[in-house]
Amino acid sequence: MAEAIYENLPFENLYWSQMETLPREEMRVLQLERLRKTVDKVRHLPLYREFFEKTKLSGDDIRSLDDIRRLPFTTKAQLLENYPFGHLLIPRHEIARIHGSSGTKSKPTLMAYTRKDLETWANLCARFLYAGGLRSNHLVQVSFGYGLFTGGFGLHYGIECVGAGILPAAAGNTPRQIMFMQDLKTDGLIATPSYAMNIAETVRDMGIKPHELALKFAHFGAEAWTEEMRQVIENLLGIKAFNNYGLSEILGPSISGECWYQNGMHIQEDNFLIECLDPETLEPVPEGTPGELVITNLNKEATSLLRYRTRDIAILDSSPCRCGRTTQRMGRIVGRSDDMVVVRGVNLFPTQIEEALLRVEGVTPHFLIKVERPGAMDEITVQVEIQESHFSDKMSDMDELRRNILHQIQVVTGLRVKLELAAPQTMQRFVGKAKRLEDLRDLHNVQSSQGDKK
Ligand code: DLL
């Protein structure tokens, strides 16, 4: 059913914007022109003043896109040092809206938007929503939180820009979400993949079959998820699920999104310049090699960042896409470099554990990784919830399942871990971004150093 939305469209209606099919050379010219303007806009900001006073660089010195490497990086720590608005490019009265990152560990990083920024943002979200089949006759359920988080409002106005209907359900109250899906026959769902999983399992547990819902497509983002997770959610809800990426410091969701072919996320290159760098050396990695995404704003009025270090690890891909868009694509985010744990010399991302777990029948994607250092060595424990149909109180019944899981984890990560099987419905569910990793090593250090002092 979903296939028909796209396949029956007249060709000229495949793209939302001509920017999506701009010849590569023209795109590079546009990027360079915008990069030079951005440099001239930001060089007097408190955030960058010292660098530009020292180097005397201006937009005129940026002669090719490679010259981006002459510009300074920006980090979250620098934004916080300049909190709240050492990076604001406009007078306060021109701010149309403020969003920010969640700021669970510190103050949030705040970003401002002018009216034009809000328009640009809605348009960019419209592009990837449209590329995934959203049309003006659809009704979409937005199950993201609305607030400082950019997910709710960002997608909301993107849907409105396409001209489709919106149910701003917000995150949480899963039975009510499903009631809306049934009663209002919503066509599309917007959520984090972990919340979508939560909804999909509840649909299954309520005995509702996918064809009894009208859902056709979903756009998920805001956290890392795997191809395996996509399969599970698509099957449980009978939909096509698309990935989209963004971060509040740069604009919010909008940086890239998948088209109908689900083969990497098309980067909205007229608005963002993305480098893929080795996080240690900060040198570019060859295309196809995972590296840290470093992003420069090319078209934002209220705040514009140079070379923002996202800590997100992914590959870039310039090969042509079957959809005809000419933009470069990025692969899934395999993880954040600050979510990566190095255990006995091996790099581990939570997504690798998700991939391994979902290869085993009877296992759910509800898991938690705990990293501890009880002695000299790091120890990893994976807690994972087992499906009702495969759970038994008798340890011997679970032995094979346990062996299978440990085997898959070793195949995917190369690591031996401790495994704890949890009973059905006992592990925490999330309505926003899921927390999959608890690194308790610092805690041990703190405790032992306090112990030393006594
Ligand atoms: O999460 C923006 C967003 C909202 C994107 C809704 C997509 C959909 P922040 O709260 O600032 O903004 O968090 C940004 O989330 O650096 C990534 O680590 C992660 N992230 C965002 N999208 C994806 C994705 C929003 N598709 C941080 N896959 C980023 C993996 C993602 N991680």
Side-chain angles (χ1 to χ4, degrees), residues 101-102 144 149-151 155 220-225 243-249 252-253 265 310 312 333 336 433:
S101 69
S102 57
F144 266 147
F149 174 57
T150 48
L155 272 296
F220 301 144
E223 64 182 2
W225 56 310
N243 195 6
N244 73 91
Y245 169 78
L247 56 155
S248 48
E249 286 83 356
M265 294 180 274
T310 65
D312 293 323
I333 303 292
R336 293 181 53 80
K433 298 183 192 231

PDB file of all heavy atoms in Angstrom, residues 101-102 144 149-151 155 220-225 243-249 252-253 265 310 312 333 336 433, ligand 1:
ATOM      1  N   SER A 101      19.695  22.049  23.535  1.00  0.00           N
ATOM      2  CA  SER A 101      19.934  20.630  23.824  1.00  0.00           C
ATOM      3  C   SER A 101      19.410  20.362  25.223  1.00  0.00           C
ATOM      4  O   SER A 101      19.157  21.289  25.989  1.00  0.00           O
ATOM      5  CB  SER A 101      21.426  20.339  23.761  1.00  0.00           C
ATOM      6  OG  SER A 101      22.048  20.985  24.851  1.00  0.00           O
ATOM      7  N   SER A 102      19.279  19.085  25.546  1.00  0.00           N
ATOM      8  CA  SER A 102      18.606  18.728  26.798  1.00  0.00           C
ATOM      9  C   SER A 102      19.370  19.207  28.038  1.00  0.00           C
ATOM     10  O   SER A 102      18.764  19.593  29.023  1.00  0.00           O
ATOM     11  CB  SER A 102      18.401  17.225  26.853  1.00  0.00           C
ATOM     12  OG  SER A 102      19.655  16.605  26.731  1.00  0.00           O
ATOM     13  N   PHE A 144       6.873  13.114  19.376  1.00  0.00           N
ATOM     14  CA  PHE A 144       8.100  13.660  19.959  1.00  0.00           C
ATOM     15  C   PHE A 144       7.694  14.632  21.051  1.00  0.00           C
ATOM     16  O   PHE A 144       6.615  15.242  20.962  1.00  0.00           O
ATOM     17  CB  PHE A 144       8.825  14.529  18.928  1.00  0.00           C
ATOM     18  CG  PHE A 144       9.886  13.833  18.120  1.00  0.00           C
ATOM     19  CD1 PHE A 144      10.111  14.215  16.804  1.00  0.00           C
ATOM     20  CD2 PHE A 144      10.677  12.839  18.664  1.00  0.00           C
ATOM     21  CE1 PHE A 144      11.103  13.618  16.049  1.00  0.00           C
ATOM     22  CE2 PHE A 144      11.666  12.232  17.907  1.00  0.00           C
ATOM     23  CZ  PHE A 144      11.877  12.624  16.601  1.00  0.00           C
ATOM     24  N   PHE A 149      13.611  20.824  23.122  1.00  0.00           N
ATOM     25  CA  PHE A 149      14.011  19.780  22.165  1.00  0.00           C
ATOM     26  C   PHE A 149      13.499  20.156  20.772  1.00  0.00           C
ATOM     27  O   PHE A 149      12.339  20.535  20.613  1.00  0.00           O
ATOM     28  CB  PHE A 149      13.410  18.453  22.621  1.00  0.00           C
ATOM     29  CG  PHE A 149      13.613  17.301  21.672  1.00  0.00           C
ATOM     30  CD1 PHE A 149      14.882  16.916  21.276  1.00  0.00           C
ATOM     31  CD2 PHE A 149      12.521  16.591  21.188  1.00  0.00           C
ATOM     32  CE1 PHE A 149      15.055  15.846  20.411  1.00  0.00           C
ATOM     33  CE2 PHE A 149      12.685  15.518  20.328  1.00  0.00           C
ATOM     34  CZ  PHE A 149      13.964  15.149  19.940  1.00  0.00           C
ATOM     35  N   THR A 150      14.376  20.039  19.772  1.00  0.00           N
ATOM     36  CA  THR A 150      13.998  20.502  18.428  1.00  0.00           C
ATOM     37  C   THR A 150      13.112  19.517  17.660  1.00  0.00           C
ATOM     38  O   THR A 150      12.568  19.876  16.608  1.00  0.00           O
ATOM     39  CB  THR A 150      15.268  20.759  17.584  1.00  0.00           C
ATOM     40  OG1 THR A 150      16.129  19.630  17.722  1.00  0.00           O
ATOM     41  CG2 THR A 150      15.981  22.014  18.017  1.00  0.00           C
ATOM     42  N   GLY A 151      13.002  18.272  18.175  1.00  0.00           N
ATOM     43  CA  GLY A 151      12.263  17.250  17.421  1.00  0.00           C
ATOM     44  C   GLY A 151      10.802  17.592  17.185  1.00  0.00           C
ATOM     45  O   GLY A 151      10.317  17.571  16.052  1.00  0.00           O
ATOM     46  N   LEU A 155       9.723  18.943  13.319  1.00  0.00           N
ATOM     47  CA  LEU A 155       8.937  18.088  12.427  1.00  0.00           C
ATOM     48  C   LEU A 155       7.523  18.635  12.250  1.00  0.00           C
ATOM     49  O   LEU A 155       6.957  18.553  11.162  1.00  0.00           O
ATOM     50  CB  LEU A 155       8.901  16.652  12.980  1.00  0.00           C
ATOM     51  CG  LEU A 155      10.032  15.704  12.568  1.00  0.00           C
ATOM     52  CD1 LEU A 155      10.019  15.458  11.068  1.00  0.00           C
ATOM     53  CD2 LEU A 155      11.407  16.197  12.956  1.00  0.00           C
ATOM     54  N   PHE A 220      12.007   8.462  11.888  1.00  0.00           N
ATOM     55  CA  PHE A 220      12.613   8.337  13.211  1.00  0.00           C
ATOM     56  C   PHE A 220      13.974   9.023  13.230  1.00  0.00           C
ATOM     57  O   PHE A 220      14.701   8.998  12.248  1.00  0.00           O
ATOM     58  CB  PHE A 220      12.823   6.862  13.572  1.00  0.00           C
ATOM     59  CG  PHE A 220      11.553   6.056  13.589  1.00  0.00           C
ATOM     60  CD1 PHE A 220      11.553   4.741  13.160  1.00  0.00           C
ATOM     61  CD2 PHE A 220      10.357   6.607  14.044  1.00  0.00           C
ATOM     62  CE1 PHE A 220      10.387   3.993  13.182  1.00  0.00           C
ATOM     63  CE2 PHE A 220       9.190   5.861  14.066  1.00  0.00           C
ATOM     64  CZ  PHE A 220       9.206   4.542  13.625  1.00  0.00           C
ATOM     65  N   GLY A 221      14.319   9.560  14.377  1.00  0.00           N
ATOM     66  CA  GLY A 221      15.630  10.197  14.524  1.00  0.00           C
ATOM     67  C   GLY A 221      15.857  10.569  15.965  1.00  0.00           C
ATOM     68  O   GLY A 221      15.103  10.148  16.855  1.00  0.00           O
ATOM     69  N   ALA A 222      16.905  11.338  16.209  1.00  0.00           N
ATOM     70  CA  ALA A 222      17.283  11.860  17.521  1.00  0.00           C
ATOM     71  C   ALA A 222      18.123  10.881  18.332  1.00  0.00           C
ATOM     72  O   ALA A 222      18.630  11.239  19.389  1.00  0.00           O
ATOM     73  CB  ALA A 222      16.070  12.308  18.346  1.00  0.00           C
ATOM     74  N   GLU A 223      18.265   9.645  17.875  1.00  0.00           N
ATOM     75  CA  GLU A 223      19.139   8.698  18.577  1.00  0.00           C
ATOM     76  C   GLU A 223      19.568   7.612  17.601  1.00  0.00           C
ATOM     77  O   GLU A 223      18.925   7.406  16.561  1.00  0.00           O
ATOM     78  CB  GLU A 223      18.415   8.065  19.777  1.00  0.00           C
ATOM     79  CG  GLU A 223      17.228   7.229  19.353  1.00  0.00           C
ATOM     80  CD  GLU A 223      16.464   6.620  20.518  1.00  0.00           C
ATOM     81  OE1 GLU A 223      16.822   6.873  21.669  1.00  0.00           O
ATOM     82  OE2 GLU A 223      15.507   5.880  20.236  1.00  0.00           O
ATOM     83  N   ALA A 224      20.639   6.920  17.982  1.00  0.00           N
ATOM     84  CA  ALA A 224      21.164   5.882  17.097  1.00  0.00           C
ATOM     85  C   ALA A 224      20.259   4.648  17.115  1.00  0.00           C
ATOM     86  O   ALA A 224      19.698   4.302  18.151  1.00  0.00           O
ATOM     87  CB  ALA A 224      22.571   5.511  17.546  1.00  0.00           C
ATOM     88  N   TRP A 225      20.080   4.038  15.975  1.00  0.00           N
ATOM     89  CA  TRP A 225      19.315   2.783  15.860  1.00  0.00           C
ATOM     90  C   TRP A 225      19.905   1.996  14.707  1.00  0.00           C
ATOM     91  O   TRP A 225      20.694   2.509  13.923  1.00  0.00           O
ATOM     92  CB  TRP A 225      17.813   3.055  15.691  1.00  0.00           C
ATOM     93  CG  TRP A 225      17.388   3.940  14.542  1.00  0.00           C
ATOM     94  CD1 TRP A 225      17.879   5.168  14.215  1.00  0.00           C
ATOM     95  CD2 TRP A 225      16.368   3.662  13.574  1.00  0.00           C
ATOM     96  NE1 TRP A 225      17.225   5.682  13.130  1.00  0.00           N
ATOM     97  CE2 TRP A 225      16.293   4.780  12.704  1.00  0.00           C
ATOM     98  CE3 TRP A 225      15.482   2.601  13.357  1.00  0.00           C
ATOM     99  CZ2 TRP A 225      15.389   4.850  11.639  1.00  0.00           C
ATOM    100  CZ3 TRP A 225      14.585   2.682  12.304  1.00  0.00           C
ATOM    101  CH2 TRP A 225      14.545   3.787  11.457  1.00  0.00           C
ATOM    102  N   ASN A 243      14.994   7.204   8.342  1.00  0.00           N
ATOM    103  CA  ASN A 243      15.912   7.780   9.322  1.00  0.00           C
ATOM    104  C   ASN A 243      16.157   9.250   8.983  1.00  0.00           C
ATOM    105  O   ASN A 243      16.292   9.596   7.810  1.00  0.00           O
ATOM    106  CB  ASN A 243      17.231   6.998   9.217  1.00  0.00           C
ATOM    107  CG  ASN A 243      18.171   7.207  10.382  1.00  0.00           C
ATOM    108  OD1 ASN A 243      17.805   7.866  11.366  1.00  0.00           O
ATOM    109  ND2 ASN A 243      19.364   6.653  10.303  1.00  0.00           N
ATOM    110  N   ASN A 244      16.188  10.112   9.984  1.00  0.00           N
ATOM    111  CA  ASN A 244      16.608  11.495   9.724  1.00  0.00           C
ATOM    112  C   ASN A 244      17.471  11.984  10.864  1.00  0.00           C
ATOM    113  O   ASN A 244      17.340  11.543  11.998  1.00  0.00           O
ATOM    114  CB  ASN A 244      15.402  12.409   9.468  1.00  0.00           C
ATOM    115  CG  ASN A 244      14.635  12.707  10.720  1.00  0.00           C
ATOM    116  OD1 ASN A 244      14.905  13.687  11.409  1.00  0.00           O
ATOM    117  ND2 ASN A 244      13.667  11.874  11.060  1.00  0.00           N
ATOM    118  N   TYR A 245      18.372  12.899  10.520  1.00  0.00           N
ATOM    119  CA  TYR A 245      19.430  13.294  11.455  1.00  0.00           C
ATOM    120  C   TYR A 245      19.522  14.810  11.612  1.00  0.00           C
ATOM    121  O   TYR A 245      19.275  15.550  10.649  1.00  0.00           O
ATOM    122  CB  TYR A 245      20.764  12.756  10.928  1.00  0.00           C
ATOM    123  CG  TYR A 245      21.989  13.285  11.626  1.00  0.00           C
ATOM    124  CD1 TYR A 245      22.372  12.788  12.866  1.00  0.00           C
ATOM    125  CD2 TYR A 245      22.776  14.275  11.042  1.00  0.00           C
ATOM    126  CE1 TYR A 245      23.504  13.271  13.515  1.00  0.00           C
ATOM    127  CE2 TYR A 245      23.914  14.766  11.685  1.00  0.00           C
ATOM    128  CZ  TYR A 245      24.271  14.255  12.916  1.00  0.00           C
ATOM    129  OH  TYR A 245      25.380  14.726  13.569  1.00  0.00           O
ATOM    130  N   GLY A 246      19.869  15.219  12.794  1.00  0.00           N
ATOM    131  CA  GLY A 246      20.106  16.647  13.019  1.00  0.00           C
ATOM    132  C   GLY A 246      20.532  16.866  14.447  1.00  0.00           C
ATOM    133  O   GLY A 246      20.531  15.943  15.260  1.00  0.00           O
ATOM    134  N   LEU A 247      20.932  18.086  14.751  1.00  0.00           N
ATOM    135  CA  LEU A 247      21.242  18.410  16.141  1.00  0.00           C
ATOM    136  C   LEU A 247      20.914  19.866  16.395  1.00  0.00           C
ATOM    137  O   LEU A 247      20.989  20.701  15.488  1.00  0.00           O
ATOM    138  CB  LEU A 247      22.681  18.078  16.512  1.00  0.00           C
ATOM    139  CG  LEU A 247      23.823  18.649  15.729  1.00  0.00           C
ATOM    140  CD1 LEU A 247      25.059  18.695  16.598  1.00  0.00           C
ATOM    141  CD2 LEU A 247      24.120  17.742  14.548  1.00  0.00           C
ATOM    142  N   SER A 248      20.528  20.132  17.640  1.00  0.00           N
ATOM    143  CA  SER A 248      20.018  21.465  17.940  1.00  0.00           C
ATOM    144  C   SER A 248      21.060  22.545  17.705  1.00  0.00           C
ATOM    145  O   SER A 248      20.730  23.645  17.261  1.00  0.00           O
ATOM    146  CB  SER A 248      19.479  21.522  19.366  1.00  0.00           C
ATOM    147  OG  SER A 248      20.405  20.962  20.252  1.00  0.00           O
ATOM    148  N   GLU A 249      22.335  22.250  17.993  1.00  0.00           N
ATOM    149  CA  GLU A 249      23.362  23.293  17.864  1.00  0.00           C
ATOM    150  C   GLU A 249      23.428  23.834  16.426  1.00  0.00           C
ATOM    151  O   GLU A 249      23.791  24.982  16.205  1.00  0.00           O
ATOM    152  CB  GLU A 249      24.742  22.764  18.271  1.00  0.00           C
ATOM    153  CG  GLU A 249      24.931  22.590  19.769  1.00  0.00           C
ATOM    154  CD  GLU A 249      24.368  21.273  20.293  1.00  0.00           C
ATOM    155  OE1 GLU A 249      23.748  20.522  19.494  1.00  0.00           O
ATOM    156  OE2 GLU A 249      24.528  20.999  21.493  1.00  0.00           O
ATOM    157  N   GLY A 252      18.595  21.611  14.236  1.00  0.00           N
ATOM    158  CA  GLY A 252      17.579  20.661  14.680  1.00  0.00           C
ATOM    159  C   GLY A 252      17.474  19.592  13.611  1.00  0.00           C
ATOM    160  O   GLY A 252      18.327  19.520  12.725  1.00  0.00           O
ATOM    161  N   PRO A 253      16.419  18.734  13.672  1.00  0.00           N
ATOM    162  CA  PRO A 253      16.257  17.759  12.592  1.00  0.00           C
ATOM    163  C   PRO A 253      16.217  18.549  11.289  1.00  0.00           C
ATOM    164  O   PRO A 253      15.629  19.631  11.269  1.00  0.00           O
ATOM    165  CB  PRO A 253      14.894  17.119  12.888  1.00  0.00           C
ATOM    166  CG  PRO A 253      14.206  18.074  13.818  1.00  0.00           C
ATOM    167  CD  PRO A 253      15.291  18.742  14.589  1.00  0.00           C
ATOM    168  N   MET A 265      21.252   8.794   4.349  1.00  0.00           N
ATOM    169  CA  MET A 265      20.482  10.036   4.500  1.00  0.00           C
ATOM    170  C   MET A 265      21.059  11.133   3.607  1.00  0.00           C
ATOM    171  O   MET A 265      22.261  11.445   3.699  1.00  0.00           O
ATOM    172  CB  MET A 265      20.508  10.471   5.970  1.00  0.00           C
ATOM    173  CG  MET A 265      19.769   9.473   6.867  1.00  0.00           C
ATOM    174  SD  MET A 265      19.786   9.948   8.607  1.00  0.00           S
ATOM    175  CE  MET A 265      21.334   9.254   9.151  1.00  0.00           C
ATOM    176  N   THR A 310      30.466  17.331  16.235  1.00  0.00           N
ATOM    177  CA  THR A 310      29.224  16.695  16.697  1.00  0.00           C
ATOM    178  C   THR A 310      29.487  15.506  17.606  1.00  0.00           C
ATOM    179  O   THR A 310      28.591  15.094  18.336  1.00  0.00           O
ATOM    180  CB  THR A 310      28.403  16.167  15.503  1.00  0.00           C
ATOM    181  OG1 THR A 310      29.152  15.128  14.863  1.00  0.00           O
ATOM    182  CG2 THR A 310      28.072  17.271  14.514  1.00  0.00           C
ATOM    183  N   ASP A 312      29.439  12.670  16.536  1.00  0.00           N
ATOM    184  CA  ASP A 312      28.710  11.568  15.901  1.00  0.00           C
ATOM    185  C   ASP A 312      29.588  10.903  14.845  1.00  0.00           C
ATOM    186  O   ASP A 312      30.211  11.588  14.035  1.00  0.00           O
ATOM    187  CB  ASP A 312      27.437  12.101  15.219  1.00  0.00           C
ATOM    188  CG  ASP A 312      26.433  12.609  16.237  1.00  0.00           C
ATOM    189  OD1 ASP A 312      26.321  11.998  17.311  1.00  0.00           O
ATOM    190  OD2 ASP A 312      25.766  13.622  15.962  1.00  0.00           O
ATOM    191  N   ILE A 333      24.256   6.863  11.977  1.00  0.00           N
ATOM    192  CA  ILE A 333      25.219   7.217  13.026  1.00  0.00           C
ATOM    193  C   ILE A 333      25.501   5.908  13.776  1.00  0.00           C
ATOM    194  O   ILE A 333      24.575   5.302  14.329  1.00  0.00           O
ATOM    195  CB  ILE A 333      24.619   8.247  14.003  1.00  0.00           C
ATOM    196  CG1 ILE A 333      24.154   9.511  13.260  1.00  0.00           C
ATOM    197  CG2 ILE A 333      25.593   8.578  15.123  1.00  0.00           C
ATOM    198  CD1 ILE A 333      25.245  10.344  12.675  1.00  0.00           C
ATOM    199  N   ARG A 336      27.997   7.859  19.157  1.00  0.00           N
ATOM    200  CA  ARG A 336      28.674   9.110  19.473  1.00  0.00           C
ATOM    201  C   ARG A 336      30.026   8.749  20.061  1.00  0.00           C
ATOM    202  O   ARG A 336      30.134   7.791  20.819  1.00  0.00           O
ATOM    203  CB  ARG A 336      27.878   9.904  20.514  1.00  0.00           C
ATOM    204  CG  ARG A 336      26.551  10.416  20.004  1.00  0.00           C
ATOM    205  CD  ARG A 336      25.862  11.214  21.097  1.00  0.00           C
ATOM    206  NE  ARG A 336      26.723  12.247  21.628  1.00  0.00           N
ATOM    207  CZ  ARG A 336      26.952  13.434  21.040  1.00  0.00           C
ATOM    208  NH1 ARG A 336      26.366  13.706  19.910  1.00  0.00           N
ATOM    209  NH2 ARG A 336      27.739  14.328  21.590  1.00  0.00           N
ATOM    210  N   LYS A 433      14.663   9.949  24.040  1.00  0.00           N
ATOM    211  CA  LYS A 433      15.900   9.259  23.707  1.00  0.00           C
ATOM    212  C   LYS A 433      16.178   8.177  24.753  1.00  0.00           C
ATOM    213  O   LYS A 433      16.100   8.438  25.943  1.00  0.00           O
ATOM    214  CB  LYS A 433      17.064  10.244  23.684  1.00  0.00           C
ATOM    215  CG  LYS A 433      16.911  11.341  22.637  1.00  0.00           C
ATOM    216  CD  LYS A 433      18.131  12.242  22.629  1.00  0.00           C
ATOM    217  CE  LYS A 433      17.883  13.492  21.814  1.00  0.00           C
ATOM    218  NZ  LYS A 433      18.878  13.793  20.811  1.00  0.00           N
TER     219      LYS A 433
HETATM  220  O1  DLL B   1      18.030  15.085  18.482  1.00  0.00           O
HETATM  221  C1  DLL B   1      17.545  16.648  16.706  1.00  0.00           C
HETATM  222  C2  DLL B   1      16.641  15.668  16.071  1.00  0.00           C
HETATM  223  C3  DLL B   1      15.341  15.581  16.488  1.00  0.00           C
HETATM  224  C4  DLL B   1      17.088  14.878  15.011  1.00  0.00           C
HETATM  225  C5  DLL B   1      14.478  14.701  15.869  1.00  0.00           C
HETATM  226  C6  DLL B   1      16.224  14.010  14.370  1.00  0.00           C
HETATM  227  C7  DLL B   1      14.912  13.928  14.804  1.00  0.00           C
HETATM  228  P1  DLL B   1      19.705  17.090  19.931  1.00  0.00           P
HETATM  229  O2  DLL B   1      18.752  16.841  21.032  1.00  0.00           O
HETATM  230  O3  DLL B   1      20.556  18.299  19.959  1.00  0.00           O
HETATM  231  O4  DLL B   1      18.940  17.173  18.557  1.00  0.00           O
HETATM  232  O5  DLL B   1      20.611  15.806  19.808  1.00  0.00           O
HETATM  233  C8  DLL B   1      21.531  15.681  18.757  1.00  0.00           C
HETATM  234  O6  DLL B   1      21.171  13.284  18.627  1.00  0.00           O
HETATM  235  O7  DLL B   1      24.349  14.693  17.876  1.00  0.00           O
HETATM  236  C9  DLL B   1      23.145  12.588  17.568  1.00  0.00           C
HETATM  237  O8  DLL B   1      24.014  12.074  18.542  1.00  0.00           O
HETATM  238  C10 DLL B   1      21.716  12.189  17.903  1.00  0.00           C
HETATM  239  N1  DLL B   1      20.941  11.955  16.684  1.00  0.00           N
HETATM  240  C11 DLL B   1      20.090  12.782  16.068  1.00  0.00           C
HETATM  241  N2  DLL B   1      19.537  12.171  14.987  1.00  0.00           N
HETATM  242  C12 DLL B   1      20.073  10.924  14.929  1.00  0.00           C
HETATM  243  C13 DLL B   1      19.929   9.816  14.050  1.00  0.00           C
HETATM  244  C14 DLL B   1      18.176  16.187  17.996  1.00  0.00           C
HETATM  245  N3  DLL B   1      19.103   9.811  13.016  1.00  0.00           N
HETATM  246  C15 DLL B   1      22.165  14.310  18.792  1.00  0.00           C
HETATM  247  N4  DLL B   1      20.680   8.716  14.307  1.00  0.00           N
HETATM  248  C16 DLL B   1      23.109  14.095  17.635  1.00  0.00           C
HETATM  249  C17 DLL B   1      21.518   8.682  15.357  1.00  0.00           C
HETATM  250  C18 DLL B   1      20.980  10.794  16.003  1.00  0.00           C
HETATM  251  N5  DLL B   1      21.682   9.680  16.218  1.00  0.00           N
END
